[in-house]
Amino acid sequence: MKTFKKTMLGAACAMALSAGSQAALAEDTIKVGILHSLSGTMAISETTLKDTMLMLIDEQNAKGGLLGKKLEAVVVDPASNWPLFAEKARELVSKEKVDAVFGCWTSVSRKSVLPVFEETNSLLFYPVQYEGEESSKNVFYTGAAPNQQAVPAVDYLMNQGVERWVLAGTDYVYPRTTNKILEAYLKAKGVAPEDIMVNYTPFGHSDWQSIVSDIKKFGSTGKKTAVVSTINGDANVPFYKELGSQGVAASDIPVVAFSVGEEELSGIDTGPLVGHLAAWNYFMSVDSEANDEFIEAWQKHVKNEDRVTNDPMEAHYLGFNMWVEAVKKAGTTDPTAVQESIIGVAVPNLTGGYATMMPNHHITKPVLIGEIQDDGQFEVVWNTSGTVAGDAWSDYLEGSKDLISDWRAPLSCGNYNVKTAKCSGQNF
Amino acid sequence: MMTFSIRHIFRYLLSCLFLVSVLISSPVMAADDSQSLQEVSQLLIDGDFDEKSRALSRLAETSHPRTSEILQLLSDSQLYYHKKEKQLYIITEYDKGKVAKDLAGNEQVITKKRDYKKVTLNNKMRGVINRIKAELGLNADNPQQREAAVRDLLKDITPDTVTTLKARFFIEESKKVREMINIALAINDLKSSDDVLLSNAIEQLDGSLEQESRSALMTFVSTTESPQLKKQAQIVLKGIEDKVQYYGWLETFYFGLSLGSVLVLAGIGLAITFGVMGVINMAHGELIMIGAYTTYVIQLLMPDHIEWSILVAIPAAFVVSGLVGIGIERGVIRFLYGRPLETLLATFGISLILQQAVRSVFSPLNRSVETPDWMSGLIQINPVFSLTLSRLYIILFCLIVFVALLLVLKKTALGLQVRAVSQNRAMARAMGIRSNRVDALTFGLGSGVAGIAGVALSQLTNVGPNMGQAYIIDSFMVVVFGGVGNLWGTLVAGLSLGVANKVLEPWAGAVLAKVLMLIFIILFIQKRPRGLFPQRGRAAEG
């Protein structure tokens, strides 16, 4: 018993000490929270983003830090578990007292942490493309909204003469909402309902035989057909493999994907996929000086010359740089001050242009369409001439087309209805 | 009819004349050739995609001798250009120190990879390339190639194609190719306004399964004004559609079988560990994953012999997964016999440990396992029905594994001991069987078979840390439905669940089909708790 007491005492001392040293550290560093899954299903995508953030923070520190202080990264692991995201977010904000959080992947995780950030009035930078229909005072959406990815991709295919559409997606909120927007958009453009086929599959679906065969049949009526894919994560590999083995070539039925990037392709033999498309706001193959530097720095950071870069990484790059600029502008890391100062901040992006934070907390981005090459890279075949501003509320959906979001005073509202001239009062 | 063929002969003669004139003037052409090649390569280097397509079409129009070679290089993506020299190079291996050859055949060594850039294609260009290839393919020596070429030309029949096809028809020897050309000409004739021609064309298309025939007939039915022809076309179309439907059912059945064989492969290892030994092994999926990763490692070890890597991977995966299985049995499970709840929790923990271990060793990203050439591709039985080769191999493989396992359990000493221990442990021990050793070996056998399943699955799906989770529920489903402790039950259950799933999928959708299957199994288990083929005898009662 005596020894037990001694150990307890020792432990208590150690804890007090470490808490003390943490407090001491906290005074001369600015803490940045990183909320990405390092284990579980989503680790496949999110680990890379954690490394990207660490690299950006290192680089900023090498440049002398921020406001004369060093940046300190606080990494937590929400383990692909949605409720745990909220718990870990609270830990970052309340216990670690971070000044901004970069993280989340999938809308479910974002919706789960949203109340935490709104309650504690802290900042989240969300780096992945999403379905829109949300604008929170505390969240900055640095990934693409549907009008920065899905709609331009469909426009491109229409110009290529596509008349029949397969909207294939995984069964959850992002594909369902995106497809709803696309269906409304296609019908507005005069596509007949029988020329649209919608198909949903469960997460991680692995047997695509009959679906691919159905797509083949759907595309055999003589009208040019394309597949718009919001299939997520692991289900993509067997889907593309099945396309390859059933001989569906991109020149017959092209597939344009919104969730397949360089990282996902690095796990597939891309030979049979050459010519299928993806729409993003950044590709690793883009020829620009900023991009070359970024790739070099990244490969040096992870000590691997084969590692690829992708779109959500650029989103973090933009979000982080915007936050840094906003903090410099405000002269403080106080979330309320940063929320005000970040609107209108413009930073160079990796494709040779500028990204600006809009009053609706979305950013401006160029839209690029790329074709898969056999080395696992994308070749840009089309791009918008300038950048497109992200639209929080889709113009093609009933109930959201009258809404706008503007977080500047005096409006300060995420969902202002221009018809009734009212803010619904909801925070998101 | 007579005038028709005379016109053809006349056309044919004309094209022969043209050919002769080209041959005569060939020395003059040679200088032009290199010049046009020069122009084309400039366009390929500097032009945008439209200019590149035009360059290729021009190359084909001038019937340049190197057309097919250049097209092949482009579609194999072996055509590069030097960024500064602005010259085309052929590079078969794009790496530092490898050779780059220019079009004249001069070689140079690549000193810097970034100096060279690939000539990129887009889908439109690939379309142009395929079209030119098809036109060139009409004169191929191999009749199958010629047939494929005509089939490619069906997609877009222009007056030019009709002329070439008619010319080809008169010198064509293969009956199949002539048949295909007739279909092409009939599709073209459907656009005419001559009733006799139309009627003949419809007759010609009777029974043709090409999708172009179907869509041409469909457009004809909806646009024609003659009720008689419309009726004729409708009858023909109905006949074709019945055939298509029949093949559709065959296809669904094949898909069902192949899904079923995947289920059997995933479940059959579990049929041994869970079915025979009664261990609820939640780490079964991870043993499959280990098998798949073994395939990946084997391919890393023998990069020059990918085609044989799968054959090497099968025994290797069996050994690796088997050893891991024996390790799990000796280290954890043997302390927990008779306590199913604890076994379940402990093996679930092991599955998480194995997943995270793989994540740490191989990275959380998916790994790419290559499919050997002999496993990719498909057997085209007719335009609406084809068998994918990889699936066919997996069905065969599943049956082989099943038979082998059955033989091991029925014909070997180990099999006898396994059955004895599973039927009555105390009695078997009294007879001198070392039940500990048998337990370990049985578990190892089941795990090894799971590893083999991993090799097969690596050809179909992701190889990543999470792949095991996708199969664990399916495996239990198959084993419980088939009847615990019965291999035949697993086979029948797997295949019938696969077929039922595929029959349901078209009208219920993938999500609902899966839900319906699970509800069905729950109801079935309520009615017959011991599955399709219950184990009989006294041991089963206990």
Side-chain angles (χ1 to χ4, degrees):
Chain A
M1 207 55 213
K2 211 171 172 186
T3 44
F4 177 71
K5 261 188 190 160
K6 258 188 193 165
T7 358
M8 282 304 283
L9 205 70
C13 278
M15 266 165 76
L17 266 174
S18 68
S21 65
Q22 254 175 15
L25 262 174
E27 268 164 29
D28 43 18
T29 63
I30 296 174
K31 283 187 170 181
V32 178
I34 302 175
L35 183 63
H36 281 303
S37 306
L38 310 178
S39 52
T41 342
M42 297 310 295
I44 176 175
S45 315
E46 292 191 69
T47 321
T48 315
L49 291 186
K50 179 219 47 173
D51 290 335
T52 312
M53 280 311 298
L54 291 180
M55 173 184 92
L56 291 170
I57 291 170
D58 277 357
E59 280 182 350
Q60 190 62 36
N61 281 336
K63 277 189 246 166
L66 187 56
L67 302 180
K69 296 181 189 172
K70 287 273 176 214
L71 293 173
E72 183 195 345
V74 183
V75 181
V76 288
D77 176 17
S80 314
N81 175 344
W82 317 135
L84 196 58
F85 266 93
E87 261 172 59
K88 290 288 175 186
R90 195 173 288 280
E91 181 187 322
L92 282 175
V93 175
S94 307
K95 196 167 141 246
E96 299 282 352
K97 306 250 182 283
V98 299
D99 291 302
V101 176
F102 291 80
C104 292
W105 186 305
T106 75
S107 293
V108 198
S109 66
R110 192 189 62 250
K111 300 257 185 214
S112 133
V113 301
L114 203 64
V116 177
F117 284 96
E118 293 191 335
E119 183 198 316
T120 55
N121 190 30
S122 37
L123 306 176
L124 170 71
F125 288 82
Y126 178 73
V128 191
Q129 97 275 30
Y130 84 120
E131 66 281 1
E133 307 302 297
E134 184 186 298
S135 176
S136 163
K137 185 172 172 241
N138 300 86
V139 183
F140 297 94
Y141 308 85
T142 53
N147 73 316
Q148 291 173 307
Q149 192 185 22
V151 174
V154 166
D155 274 337
Y156 168 77
L157 287 172
M158 246 181 212
N159 283 334
Q160 300 278 307
V162 172
E163 292 170 296
R164 300 200 97 193
W165 304 84
V166 181
L167 308 179
T170 303
D171 205 356
Y172 75 106
V173 55
Y174 166 67
R176 287 246 175 207
T177 317
T178 308
N179 285 346
K180 224 189 276 168
I181 295 172
L182 288 182
E183 220 178 321
Y185 181 73
L186 286 172
K187 282 179 184 159
K189 289 271 173 176
V191 176
E194 66 266 20
D195 282 339
I196 302 175
M197 165 179 155
V198 185
N199 182 291
Y200 291 106
T201 39
F203 264 103
H205 190 64
S206 64
D207 194 276
W208 289 92
Q209 297 178 90
S210 22
I211 292 164
V212 168
S213 159
D214 281 351
I215 292 173
K216 244 167 111 176
K217 272 180 214 136
F218 187 77
S220 67
T221 52
K223 285 185 185 170
K224 177 91 178 147
T225 306
V227 181
V228 178
S229 152
T230 36
I231 297 163
N232 193 287
D234 283 0
N236 275 303
V237 176
F239 174 60
Y240 281 113
K241 279 199 172 174
E242 191 63 38
L243 282 177
S245 61
Q246 290 201 23
V248 178
S251 43
D252 302 328
I253 302 179
V255 178
V256 56
F258 304 145
S259 315
V260 176
E262 288 85 351
E263 191 111 311
E264 286 74 18
L265 287 185
S266 68
I268 325 181
D269 173 19
T270 48
L273 307 185
V274 170
H276 287 304
L277 305 151
W280 287 109
N281 311 105
Y282 164 83
F283 285 117
M284 187 182 178
S285 66
V286 168
D287 224 357
S288 84
E289 224 162 275
N291 190 26
D292 283 351
E293 275 169 30
F294 182 73
I295 294 170
E296 208 165 301
W298 167 245
Q299 292 179 341
K300 219 165 113 189
H301 179 79
V302 291
K303 298 187 188 67
N304 182 348
E305 278 199 15
D306 295 326
R307 281 296 288 275
V308 293
T309 57
N310 64 13
D311 183 88
M313 286 171 68
E314 194 219 14
H316 258 342
Y317 171 86
L318 296 174
F320 180 77
N321 286 347
M322 281 177 173
W323 176 74
V324 167
E325 288 306 314
V327 169
K328 279 187 196 157
K329 205 164 121 190
T332 164
T333 56
D334 176 54
T336 318
V338 174
Q339 269 166 25
E340 255 169 56
S341 67
I342 200 170
I343 291 173
V345 163
V347 296
N349 63 20
L350 293 178
T351 46
Y354 277 87
T356 314
M357 179 62 74
M358 304 306 283
N360 63 358
H361 286 192
H362 290 62
I363 67 174
T364 57
K365 289 176 157 240
V367 186
L368 314 173
I369 312 266
E371 278 188 8
I372 299 175
Q373 304 292 309
D374 52 4
D375 55 357
Q377 287 289 326
F378 291 89
E379 183 67 34
V380 177
V381 290
W382 181 86
N383 58 293
T384 47
S385 49
T387 53
V388 180
D391 189 7
W393 301 98
S394 170
D395 298 341
Y396 301 98
L397 284 186
E398 277 311 314
S400 88
K401 59 183 175 196
D402 298 330
L403 297 180
I404 59 159
S405 156
D406 190 336
W407 287 108
R408 289 172 303 187
L411 198 57
S412 276
C413 176
N415 47 7
Y416 180 79
N417 191 317
V418 284
K419 280 225 176 108
T420 59
K422 268 187 199 150
C423 185
S424 85
Q426 269 179 309
N427 284 329
F428 48 88
Chain B
M1 225 36 220
M2 202 57 210
T3 50
F4 187 67
S5 36
I6 286 176
R7 212 173 68 209
H8 279 164
I9 293 174
F10 184 64
R11 281 247 170 88
Y12 170 55
L13 281 176
L14 258 184
S15 50
C16 275
L17 259 176
F18 177 71
L19 209 74
V20 171
S21 67
V22 165
L23 281 176
I24 293 171
S25 61
S26 59
V28 191
M29 290 284 284
D32 282 354
D33 273 355
S34 64
Q35 200 192 346
S36 72
L37 190 63
Q38 195 56 43
E39 280 170 29
V40 165
S41 41
Q42 278 321 309
L43 279 178
L44 284 180
I45 292 166
D46 290 328
D48 59 21
F49 289 117
D50 282 340
E51 284 171 329
K52 286 189 204 171
S53 321
R54 247 176 289 140
L56 292 181
S57 312
R58 256 198 49 207
L59 200 64
E61 273 161 29
T62 54
S63 31
H64 191 280
R66 296 185 75 172
T67 309
S68 58
E69 183 199 341
I70 287 174
L71 292 182
Q72 195 56 45
L73 286 171
L74 271 172
S75 39
D76 292 346
S77 46
Q78 293 184 349
L79 204 60
Y80 287 72
Y81 66 89
H82 196 283
K83 277 189 197 162
K84 287 186 201 102
E85 290 173 25
K86 297 271 174 208
Q87 216 173 3
L88 288 179
Y89 282 94
I90 301 167
I91 299 177
T92 35
E93 267 180 287
Y94 181 49
D95 219 339
K96 214 172 144 183
K98 296 281 191 277
V99 179
K101 208 162 68 170
D102 71 2
L103 289 180
N106 305 321
E107 291 186 359
Q108 68 181 52
V109 175
I110 304 172
T111 45
K112 218 170 123 199
K113 252 174 101 171
R114 296 200 87 144
D115 283 347
Y116 300 86
K117 203 162 176 329
K118 196 164 67 193
V119 179
T120 49
L121 302 176
N122 70 356
N123 281 329
K124 212 170 148 196
M125 275 181 80
R126 283 188 201 97
V128 171
I129 291 178
N130 285 343
R131 178 118 197 124
I132 300 174
K133 269 189 178 166
E135 275 166 19
L136 292 172
L138 265 188
N139 300 321
D141 293 331
N142 182 343
Q144 269 162 352
Q145 242 172 315
R146 291 201 298 270
E147 196 189 335
V150 182
R151 192 167 280 160
D152 274 344
L153 289 176
L154 283 184
K155 281 179 197 150
D156 179 24
I157 301 172
T158 60
D160 279 348
T161 12
V162 173
T163 330
T164 14
L165 282 177
K166 280 180 179 165
R168 180 73 221 173
F169 187 78
F170 280 92
I171 46 169
E172 182 55 57
E173 284 154 6
S174 156
K175 203 173 149 222
K176 265 188 161 173
V177 182
R178 285 164 70 129
E179 194 69 6
M180 193 54 75
I181 295 179
N182 269 331
I183 289 175
L185 295 179
I187 291 176
N188 183 53
D189 286 345
L190 276 186
K191 292 179 216 146
S192 83
S193 50
D194 181 355
D195 276 5
V196 184
L197 209 58
L198 281 172
S199 174
N200 281 341
I202 295 172
E203 209 169 300
Q204 179 67 48
L205 290 179
D206 192 3
S208 144
L209 289 172
E210 269 71 27
Q211 57 147 311
E212 287 82 4
S213 327
R214 256 185 301 156
S215 53
L217 278 171
M218 271 186 232
T219 356
F220 179 74
V221 167
S222 58
T223 54
T224 183
E225 275 155 20
S226 148
Q228 205 186 341
L229 284 174
K230 187 171 177 173
K231 197 159 178 229
Q232 192 194 353
Q234 270 168 340
I235 292 169
V236 169
L237 202 56
K238 177 87 185 23
I240 295 178
E241 249 141 40
D242 285 348
K243 252 182 159 177
V244 170
Q245 203 173 20
Y246 165 72
Y247 283 114
W249 280 109
L250 266 188
E251 193 184 53
T252 308
F253 186 69
Y254 175 69
F255 288 165
L257 275 190
S258 88
L259 173 63
S261 57
V262 169
L263 290 177
V264 172
L265 271 175
I268 203 159
L270 199 71
I272 296 173
T273 51
F274 176 54
V276 178
M277 294 177 69
V279 174
I280 299 181
N281 180 16
M282 294 300 283
H284 178 73
E286 277 58 45
L287 293 166
I288 296 179
M289 170 191 77
I290 290 174
Y293 270 95
T294 312
T295 320
Y296 167 70
V297 172
I298 295 280
Q299 289 200 341
L300 279 190
L301 292 180
M302 40 192 294
D304 300 330
H305 303 279
I306 293 293
E307 61 268 40
W308 303 117
S309 61
I310 299 293
L311 300 183
V312 180
I314 292 170
F318 181 83
V319 171
V320 173
S321 287
L323 287 178
V324 173
I326 290 176
I328 293 174
E329 203 274 345
R330 287 289 88 184
V332 179
I333 293 175
R334 72 172 162 136
F335 303 111
L336 300 172
Y337 279 124
R339 286 186 282 175
L341 214 60
E342 274 116 297
T343 322
L344 187 146
L345 290 177
T347 48
F348 184 63
I350 293 172
S351 83
L352 293 181
I353 293 173
L354 287 176
Q355 273 178 40
Q356 201 59 31
V358 166
R359 231 173 246 130
S360 311
V361 175
F362 290 98
S363 100
L365 300 178
N366 285 336
R367 301 284 99 179
S368 122
V369 172
E370 279 176 66
T371 306
D373 282 339
W374 51 269
M375 270 188 81
S376 45
L378 66 175
I379 308 172
Q380 189 93 35
I381 293 180
N382 63 40
V384 290
F385 184 55
S386 52
L387 302 177
T388 37
L389 265 181
S390 56
R391 298 278 176 175
L392 199 62
Y393 278 114
I394 282 176
I395 296 177
L396 288 179
F397 184 62
C398 162
L399 294 177
I400 293 171
V401 170
F402 176 76
V403 171
L405 214 52
L406 209 59
L407 288 179
V408 167
L409 284 185
K410 291 267 145 95
K411 301 281 177 199
T412 64
L414 174 70
L416 189 67
Q417 291 173 358
V418 167
R419 281 180 292 140
V421 170
S422 76
Q423 275 167 20
N424 192 330
R425 180 176 294 266
M427 185 59 82
R429 285 179 63 144
M431 302 295 285
I433 294 173
R434 287 157 63 195
S435 68
N436 280 341
R437 186 172 155 272
V438 171
D439 282 339
L441 287 180
T442 318
F443 201 84
L445 177 68
S447 309
V449 173
I452 292 185
V455 179
L457 289 176
S458 74
Q459 294 303 310
L460 297 178
T461 180
N462 299 289
V463 178
N466 306 321
M467 74 177 285
Q469 285 177 327
Y471 289 95
I472 182 77
I473 293 179
D474 288 345
S475 309
F476 271 107
M477 197 170 81
V478 167
V479 174
V480 171
F481 180 53
V484 173
N486 191 321
L487 283 188
W488 281 102
T490 308
L491 182 74
V492 174
L495 293 183
S496 51
L497 285 180
V499 173
N501 198 341
K502 283 292 146 185
V503 171
L504 282 178
E505 214 179 273
W507 64 267
V511 184
L512 199 56
K514 191 127 203 195
V515 173
L516 288 176
M517 291 314 300
L518 285 171
I519 291 178
F520 165 73
I521 288 179
I522 291 172
L523 293 179
F524 183 86
I525 295 297
Q526 297 301 315
K527 196 83 192 139
R528 297 189 61 172
R530 288 180 188 279
L532 276 178
F533 298 94
Q535 215 174 25
R536 288 176 217 287
R538 213 162 6 154
E541 308 300 323

